[in-house]
Amino acid sequence: MSTSSLGREERKPMMEAYMFQRRVLLGCTATVGLFAIIWIVAIASEHWFIVSGGRGIFIPETRRYFMSSHAGLWRICRFGLVPFALANSTAARNFTTLAYVNATQINQLKKTLSETDFVQEMLNDDLPDPVEEIDDNLRKHLFAQWVRNNRDTFDDLKTTFKTLEFNGTDEVQLANRRAGMVMINPTNVSALNETIGAALSTIPINGSYVNVIVPERLRNALFEGWEDKPKIIHLLWSFAKDMEIPIGMIAPNGTKLIIRPPLPPKKGRIDNGYEYIPFKRCKYHDFSSVDDPTNLDPAIDDEIVNYTRTQATFAVLSLFIMFMGFFFSIYTFLNPRYMFKRLAGGIHFISAATSLVVIQVLAASIEYQKEHLAYTFPKGATYTFGYGIYLAWIVFAVNLISAILFFWYSKKKKGSKAATEELGMADEPINIGR
């Protein structure tokens, strides 16, 4: 029976069903378009997952307390507190906190010291040839040549010093003996003195005396009485770097000693002789290879770079497919043929699948960072998901439901099953011939 032989009353239920179908698919189309925009908001946000450090987790590499961080697909922001010892504090300071790090300041101070009498006097006594032991004369020549920027002479003396220091023992073998890590409290000077002994010195700085911790290996490379010489303390970090001496403290049993200031106060910024300065750093994820020698970021490795690239690629691909599905959905109202509904449904399904890939890759990257990247996810930290990932799940659900509905309403309605004769003809087979 053709639709033309059906009366208005007979066609009325089919027309009502057809109009209901159009309203449902129109709602799906509008929702898909809206959530394509929401997907942009989601992938642009920096709140996909949030890491919390509670009252603070001390990070030895940066000497800061990690408080929290939030990250998205493109950027991460870290928040912390930097402990600074107050001028009147009796807490011991690591020598690195007093050292100059600016190259201009370092070079200017080296130039000033090179013109002083005590540096000139360091070179009065000649070194034996060959040098067979580490004595104060070798240390004086080593420091004086470094201050004067006599690079070739300094490098020769450094090689000699390191050979005598290790006495044929491979430095790598010594490093492999290190066992574990212990945090020490710099505010308890008496206990600190028992732990590190000679590594603790009292040095005059700006008219007051300050307890300063200098590692044993660095101290072994310095001449006697360096503590009483003005400004030497400000050059020790640079000197240690050029001497290739680790700046960490190592106990006799190989344990690494970490100087950790007390936990930040719950309220205020000053406590235990320290002021805790808020710190914030936001940066974009690095998509380059970690093989790049200029890339020293402790928050990435090859695996996390691959995760980041995958997230970003599928996020952009999902956006493109969502807009493509939106426009195909609009076309189904201009051409009601069933195959266009199925095509739109298929695109919505692919959109759902690609957005799910983004979510799952992010979840996998979080688990990887928990296990392997202590800098990004310090031990003891907890995490929660941010609004970005919840928006992503909603976008996934909207596209999946839209795909199902477009497939459901793509059934053929031919002949007497169609609401109108035109709709019935649209679903008739098309013979393509010559």
Side-chain angles (χ1 to χ4, degrees):
M1 180 184 296
S2 67
T3 55
S4 60
S5 63
L6 296 176
R8 178 178 297 178
E9 292 300 321
E10 294 172 308
R11 292 199 303 267
K12 185 175 181 181
M14 291 181 285
M15 180 58 72
E16 289 176 351
Y18 174 70
M19 294 306 296
F20 177 77
Q21 174 196 127
R22 286 178 65 89
R23 285 193 291 269
V24 170
L25 296 184
L26 179 61
C28 288
T29 302
T31 305
V32 166
L34 173 63
F35 276 84
I37 297 174
I38 291 178
W39 180 250
I40 296 176
V41 174
I43 64 177
S45 77
E46 301 168 358
H47 292 80
W48 279 62
F49 75 97
I50 301 166
V51 180
S52 173
R55 282 193 61 190
I57 299 174
F58 188 71
I59 307 298
E61 292 85 353
T62 60
R63 299 191 301 278
R64 294 192 291 260
Y65 274 98
F66 170 82
M67 304 305 294
S68 66
S69 70
H70 56 76
L73 305 183
W74 312 97
R75 212 163 76 126
I76 181 172
C77 289
R78 292 172 63 90
F79 301 87
L81 292 174
V82 184
F84 282 103
L86 298 174
N88 59 354
S89 174
T90 59
R93 296 159 170 79
N94 192 314
F95 78 99
T96 56
T97 63
L98 301 171
Y100 290 161
V101 295
N102 182 277
T104 302
Q105 286 182 303
I106 293 171
N107 291 331
Q108 183 61 45
L109 182 54
K110 288 171 68 175
K111 181 180 179 181
T112 301
L113 289 176
S114 67
E115 297 171 354
T116 59
D117 292 338
F118 81 87
V119 171
Q120 302 284 348
E121 293 170 359
M122 285 181 178
L123 301 175
N124 287 344
D125 296 331
D126 294 334
L127 288 171
D129 188 16
V131 178
E132 297 180 347
E133 64 176 351
I134 297 176
D135 57 13
D136 199 50
N137 191 26
L138 173 60
R139 297 187 185 100
K140 287 180 178 179
H141 275 262
L142 192 63
F143 187 81
Q145 298 296 352
W146 177 76
V147 166
R148 288 184 158 194
N149 286 321
N150 295 332
R151 199 71 205 182
D152 292 339
T153 305
F154 169 74
D155 287 340
D156 292 340
L157 291 175
K158 181 178 73 171
T159 301
T160 301
F161 179 88
K162 293 176 77 69
T163 302
L164 294 172
E165 180 186 24
F166 291 108
N167 195 23
T169 303
D170 189 355
E171 186 175 358
V172 175
Q173 294 178 0
L174 293 176
N176 289 338
R177 294 192 207 135
R178 297 172 186 172
M181 180 186 301
V182 173
M183 301 290 182
I184 55 178
N185 184 1
T187 60
N188 190 343
V189 178
S190 59
L192 192 62
N193 195 39
E194 294 178 2
T195 304
I196 61 177
L200 185 64
S201 298
T202 302
I203 298 176
I205 298 178
N206 297 327
S208 61
Y209 286 90
V210 178
N211 295 310
V212 179
I213 300 171
V214 179
E216 182 181 355
R217 282 193 58 195
L218 176 58
R219 185 181 294 272
N220 188 46
L222 294 171
F223 57 92
E224 292 182 8
W226 66 267
E227 299 98 330
D228 300 324
K229 301 300 181 182
K231 305 295 184 179
I232 296 293
I233 186 66
H234 302 308
L235 292 176
L236 290 192
W237 194 351
S238 179
F239 181 65
K241 286 170 62 179
D242 286 343
M243 284 291 295
E244 300 176 7
I245 296 175
I247 61 175
M249 293 288 300
I250 306 297
N253 64 355
T255 302
K256 188 174 184 180
L257 304 177
I258 303 298
I259 303 168
R260 182 183 67 182
L263 283 170
K266 293 182 179 180
K267 293 183 179 180
R269 291 173 49 167
I270 298 177
D271 194 22
N272 295 311
Y274 283 87
E275 181 178 8
Y276 295 85
I277 309 297
F279 169 84
K280 175 184 178 181
R281 183 191 179 198
C282 293
K283 73 177 190 68
Y284 287 97
H285 294 312
D286 198 334
F287 294 92
S288 63
S289 172
V290 296
D291 294 334
D292 183 352
T294 64
N295 194 338
L296 302 176
D297 192 341
I300 65 170
D301 61 11
D302 281 328
E303 194 72 19
I304 206 64
V305 167
N306 290 333
Y307 278 126
T308 304
R309 289 171 177 170
T310 304
Q311 291 169 190
T313 300
F314 275 89
V316 175
L317 183 62
S318 297
L319 181 62
F320 174 76
I321 296 174
M322 285 177 197
F323 277 112
M324 188 168 65
F326 173 68
F327 289 115
F328 267 97
S329 297
I330 293 175
Y331 186 73
T332 62
F333 295 95
L334 303 177
N335 191 328
R337 188 170 176 79
Y338 72 93
M339 63 181 295
F340 294 115
K341 295 186 181 71
R342 293 181 182 178
L343 179 60
I347 295 175
H348 294 322
F349 181 79
I350 296 174
S351 297
T354 52
S355 59
L356 182 62
V357 168
V358 175
I359 296 171
Q360 293 303 315
V361 171
L362 178 79
S365 71
I366 294 174
E367 292 301 319
Y368 179 82
Q369 290 176 76
K370 285 176 61 179
E371 295 294 329
H372 300 94
L373 293 180
Y375 180 82
T376 303
F377 208 110
K379 185 178 180 180
T382 58
Y383 77 94
T384 56
F385 291 111
Y387 68 85
I389 201 164
Y390 294 115
L391 290 178
W393 275 114
I394 295 173
V395 170
F396 162 75
V398 165
N399 279 280
L400 182 61
I401 292 171
S402 297
I404 293 171
L405 290 174
F406 267 89
F407 278 120
W408 180 260
Y409 287 119
S410 66
K411 297 176 183 178
K412 295 182 181 180
K413 300 290 184 179
K414 298 187 293 183
S416 60
K417 296 181 180 179
T420 66
E421 186 174 354
E422 291 79 7
L423 293 174
M425 293 178 63
D427 284 345
E428 290 288 345
I430 299 176
N431 294 322
I432 301 176
R434 299 195 177 197

